[in-house]
């Protein structure tokens, strides 16, 4: 009963946050931007793609707060927020972060039916997926950021603001260390080498780890055929779930199934093209129809390949095509961020997703580099040819990840499962909770990790 009340409360909170004044709700704007950005990236990439439009939206929202005049107008036009002031966008992003990362506090009494403390904690983790988001802003050593901008980033985006020497390996390792920590080592690095041209770097990192509401059975996974667009075939590790009930739709373009994680706050929707050798463009309208709460629920024998995708995408040309031109040159005006004559030098994102029998682990990091100068009856649903997928939060209706799987690569070995603690940072003497978050000291009561071992107080 407690769990049910918690979910209802979250849904009511989500409805309050989504009620926005303006030409179009920010919820809808963010959803549409997800497909605009994804289809631009997919147009340039002929291979599998995984993208977090939400991460890109947040990163550019942070940049937007430092812009004025036409520079600000260009950014808002590109990400769709022209009808809103910075304060409204900041408040929306802040509420989204709170809702997306919200998990009820663990209470053994809620899961005492599991028996032991360890099994109760395991059930809690299965019910409530982990979603984390973090923001960072770094300025080159000696480069001044305005105090007002730093204060705004700290209050609205819970952003770490620091100085770093981008021209040294130590500085690059500082950024990469932050990325690795915030993505639980799923993305170990984002920068390759020292670069004196970087004056300011802004980053958003996302991390998701969730168990399927109905897991696939390991023993049923077997080698099956996956059909490629060019007509060729390949063998893949195909997972199988028997008598699985899920929301499903059919159109002239796609057959879809929506697979929930945990208690259903998050889900993955699979868009399987009706024709094997035709990959139609995935649109906002396709997603809206597939994720409609009133879509019929069907019972399937479901076959889904284990898969893993990772990629790094340069987005400068994409955002130029969306109307951001001035921001990349000497005419840019970021005078709300600094007096140093900033312009955007690069925008890129790294993403990774791993899907296996237990669930899904995914991470993305978006970076904006700034220089100074001038995402019924039992039937069979077999995902045996290229497909799209989205990973959404059903409380806020936010598309967190979006992708296209063209060719199945190596089997995904991650996540190891919620049963196993997420890999710890290299320092072993410190204490960590079961999600890998550093603790200042061991909790007064509960389970924590030290020296790679579980401890119970």
């Amino acid at each position: 009963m407690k769990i049910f009340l918690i979910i209802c409360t979250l849904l009511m909170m989500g409805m309050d946050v989504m009620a926005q004044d303006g030409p179009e709700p920010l919820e809808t704007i963010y959803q549409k931007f997800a497909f605009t950005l994804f289809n631009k990236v997919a147009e340039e990439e002929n291979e599998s793609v995984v993208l977090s439009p939400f991460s890109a939206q947040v990163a550019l929202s942070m940049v937007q707060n430092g812009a004025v005049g036409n520079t600000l107008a260009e950014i808002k036009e590109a990400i769709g927020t022209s009808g809103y002031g910075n304060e409204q966008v900041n408040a929306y992003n802040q509420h989204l972060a709170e809702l997306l990362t919200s998990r009820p506090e663990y209470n053994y009494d809620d899961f005492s039916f599991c028996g032991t403390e360890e099994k109760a904690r395991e059930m809690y983790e299965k019910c409530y997926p982990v979603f984390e988001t973090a923001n960072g802003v770094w300025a080159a050593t000696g480069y001044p950021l305005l105090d007002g901008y730093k204060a705004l980033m700290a209050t609205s985006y819970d952003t770490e603001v620091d100085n770093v020497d981008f021209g040294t390996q130590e500085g690059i390792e500082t950024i990469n260390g932050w990325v690795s920590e915030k993505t639980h080592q799923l993305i170990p690095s984002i920068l390759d080498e020292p670069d004196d041209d970087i004056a300011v770097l802004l980053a958003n990192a996302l991390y998701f780890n969730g168990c399927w509401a109905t897991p696939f059975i390991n023993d049923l996974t077997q080698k099956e055929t996956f059909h490629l667009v060019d007509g060729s075939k390949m063998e893949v590790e195909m997972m199988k779930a028997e008598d699985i009930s899920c929301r499903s739709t059919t159109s002239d373009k796609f057959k879809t199934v929506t697979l929930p994680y945990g208690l259903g706050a998050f889900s993955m929707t699979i868009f399987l093209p009706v024709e094997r050798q035709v990959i139609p463009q995935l649109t906002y309208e396709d997603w809206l129809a597939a994720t409609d709460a009133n879509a019929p629920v069907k019972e399937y024998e479901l076959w889904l390949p284990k898969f893993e995708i990772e990629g790094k995408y340069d987005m400068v040309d994409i955002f130029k095509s969306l109307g951001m031109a001035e921001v990349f040159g000497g005419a840019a005006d970021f005078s709300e961020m600094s007096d140093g004559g900033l312009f955007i030098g690069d925008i890129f994102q790294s993403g990774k997703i791993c899907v296996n029998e237990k669930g899904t682990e995914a991470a993305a990091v978006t970076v904006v580099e700034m220089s100074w100068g001038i995402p019924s009856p039992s039937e069979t649903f077999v995902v045996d040819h290229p497909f799209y997928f989205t990973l959404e939060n059903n409380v806020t209706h936010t598309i967190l990840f979006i992708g296209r799987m063209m060719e199945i690569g190596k089997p995904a070995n991650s996540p190891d499962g919620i049963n196993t603690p997420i890999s710890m940072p290299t320092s072993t003497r410190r204490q960590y909770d079961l999600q890998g978050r550093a603790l200042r000291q061991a909790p007064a009561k509960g389970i924590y990790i030290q020296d790679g071992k579980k401890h119970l107080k």
Side-chain angles (χ1 to χ4, degrees):
M1 179 59 71
K2 288 183 180 179
I3 293 173
F4 175 76
L5 290 174
I6 289 168
I7 294 298
C8 288
T9 301
L10 285 174
L11 286 169
M12 291 172 67
M13 291 170 63
M15 290 172 66
D16 289 340
V17 170
M18 299 313 144
Q20 298 282 344
D21 293 326
E24 196 168 41
L26 282 169
E27 172 188 314
T28 304
I29 288 170
Y30 278 38
Q31 292 166 355
K32 289 183 176 180
F33 173 76
F35 293 94
T36 298
L37 183 63
F38 173 74
N39 284 315
K40 287 284 186 180
V41 173
E43 185 180 282
E44 296 189 354
E45 301 284 334
N46 294 319
E47 300 177 349
S48 299
V49 174
V50 60
L51 190 72
S52 175
F54 177 63
S55 178
Q57 189 95 34
V58 172
L60 283 168
S61 293
M62 292 196 294
V63 175
Q64 171 181 313
N65 279 275
V68 297
N70 192 56
T71 299
L72 173 60
E74 281 189 355
I75 297 173
K76 293 172 74 171
E77 181 67 27
I79 62 178
T81 57
S82 295
Y84 292 86
N86 287 354
E87 297 82 3
Q88 292 171 296
V89 174
N90 294 340
Y92 183 78
N93 287 337
Q94 190 172 28
H95 282 299
L96 271 183
E98 291 170 358
L99 288 172
L100 290 168
T101 59
S102 175
R103 299 174 90 199
E105 186 176 346
Y106 170 72
N107 186 335
Y108 172 74
D109 291 341
D110 293 336
F111 301 93
S112 57
F113 62 87
C114 295
T116 66
E117 175 80 26
E118 184 175 0
K119 288 188 177 297
R121 171 67 74 167
E122 180 182 325
M123 179 58 70
Y124 166 78
E125 299 294 347
K126 288 180 177 179
C127 287
Y128 299 106
V130 175
F131 182 78
E132 298 170 355
T133 181
N135 301 306
V137 177
W138 296 266
T141 302
Y143 188 88
L145 285 178
L146 299 180
D147 290 340
Y149 181 78
K150 291 192 288 186
L152 181 60
M153 290 298 97
T155 56
S156 295
Y157 290 88
D158 194 22
T159 303
E160 303 171 23
V161 182
D162 208 347
N163 289 98
V164 68
D165 188 347
F166 295 106
T168 66
Q169 190 59 38
E170 181 181 2
I172 297 306
E173 289 174 359
T174 295
I175 305 300
N176 287 338
W178 182 88
V179 167
S180 181
E181 177 190 351
K182 300 306 182 184
T183 63
H184 294 263
Q185 294 78 53
L186 204 60
I187 300 176
S189 64
I190 196 79
L191 299 179
D192 298 325
E193 56 188 20
D195 187 350
D196 281 322
D197 290 334
I198 301 176
V200 180
L201 186 144
L202 302 94
N204 168 268
L206 303 181
Y207 177 78
F208 174 83
N209 196 333
C211 289
W212 301 119
T214 303
F216 293 82
I217 307 303
N218 286 30
D219 292 345
L220 298 181
T221 298
Q222 60 191 54
K223 294 284 187 181
E224 293 290 345
T225 301
F226 190 83
H227 303 263
L228 304 182
V229 175
D230 63 5
S232 60
K233 304 175 183 178
M234 64 184 300
E235 273 199 343
V236 301
E237 292 282 323
M238 192 75 80
M239 306 183 294
K240 181 182 180 183
E242 298 178 333
D243 301 324
I244 184 171
S245 295
C246 50
R247 193 166 59 233
S248 178
T249 66
T250 301
S251 70
D252 58 347
K253 292 167 61 180
F254 300 107
K255 293 175 62 179
T256 77
V257 289
T258 296
L259 308 176
Y261 299 95
L263 296 180
F266 295 86
S267 61
M268 175 177 283
T269 301
I270 303 293
F271 297 81
L272 184 68
V274 172
E275 297 182 46
R276 277 184 177 171
Q277 291 177 252
V278 176
I279 306 296
Q281 187 179 75
L282 182 64
T283 67
Y284 164 70
E285 289 74 21
D286 295 325
W287 176 81
L288 204 60
T291 57
D292 186 339
N294 296 317
V297 174
K298 293 185 178 181
E299 191 172 274
Y300 283 110
E301 174 186 287
L302 178 65
W303 295 82
L304 178 68
K306 296 168 65 171
F307 66 89
E308 179 175 316
I309 312 171
E310 58 183 313
K312 187 172 182 178
Y313 312 105
D314 191 314
M315 298 181 175
V316 171
D317 288 340
I318 288 171
F319 281 105
K320 283 182 177 178
S321 72
L322 295 176
M324 285 169 52
E326 181 177 283
V327 300
F328 296 106
D333 189 348
F334 288 101
S335 54
E336 288 293 308
M337 185 184 298
S338 170
D339 295 325
L342 290 172
F343 64 88
I344 297 177
D346 203 359
I347 305 175
F348 58 91
Q349 185 181 115
S350 284
K352 185 171 183 178
I353 190 166
C354 309
V355 175
N356 69 14
E357 291 88 350
K358 293 181 180 178
T360 300
E361 186 176 25
V365 178
T366 302
V367 169
V368 180
E369 290 182 0
M370 307 194 74
S371 301
W372 66 79
I374 309 181
S376 57
S378 179
E379 299 179 37
T380 299
F381 194 105
V382 183
V383 184
D384 64 353
H385 55 279
F387 57 92
Y388 294 100
F389 62 87
T390 59
L391 195 159
E392 50 269 335
N393 175 266
N394 299 314
V395 177
T396 65
H397 310 293
T398 305
I399 301 168
L400 302 171
F401 293 88
I402 182 170
R404 179 180 68 194
M405 194 68 215
M406 296 291 287
E407 181 175 343
I408 307 297
K410 62 180 180 181
N413 295 317
S414 182
D416 294 329
I418 296 296
N419 299 342
T420 305
I422 297 166
S423 56
M424 298 296 111
T426 54
S427 173
T428 59
R429 291 305 305 169
R430 295 190 64 180
Q431 294 91 26
Y432 303 88
D433 64 18
L434 294 185
Q435 283 73 53
R437 294 184 286 250
L439 302 172
R440 293 184 182 275
Q441 59 186 26
K445 183 178 180 181
I447 300 174
Y448 68 100
I449 306 296
Q450 183 174 309
D451 294 328
K453 298 179 180 178
K454 287 184 180 179
H455 297 270
L456 176 62
K457 293 186 71 176

